[in-house]
Amino acid sequence: MGGTLFTVFIIFLILKLTHVIDWSWWWVTCPLWVSVLIVPVLIFLLIFGVISSAAIMAVLARWFFFRPRRQG
């Protein structure tokens, strides 16, 4: 992932320095800082998925396995 984004950055840099594109430097350096942002977002999604699936499993376990039986 990092190698591809770095290559895209080099291409954007060459195009910017040769005046082929007239982009802001924010867009030229975008592949560098996007790669830095991808890792924390993926870690957050992984942690959120684990916590939410554990909560769902706890609710399902309580509902299906620990329901009091009706006496009748």
Side-chain angles (χ1 to χ4, degrees):
M1 175 172 61
T4 304
L5 291 174
F6 186 73
T7 304
V8 170
F9 163 70
I10 294 297
I11 292 170
F12 288 170
L13 181 65
I14 292 170
L15 292 174
K16 173 78 172 174
L17 293 176
T18 58
H19 303 289
V20 175
I21 58 174
D22 189 28
W23 295 353
S24 166
W25 281 105
W26 286 104
W27 290 113
V28 174
T29 59
C30 178
L32 296 178
W33 50 266
V34 164
S35 64
V36 171
L37 292 178
I38 286 174
V39 172
V41 167
L42 289 177
I43 290 173
F44 171 77
L45 290 175
L46 178 70
I47 291 172
F48 179 75
V50 168
I51 291 172
S52 62
S53 65
I56 290 170
M57 291 303 292
V59 169
L60 289 176
R62 174 185 267 175
W63 177 257
F64 286 112
F65 299 118
F66 300 116
R67 278 196 339 209
R69 303 210 181 226
R70 294 185 190 178
Q71 299 196 5

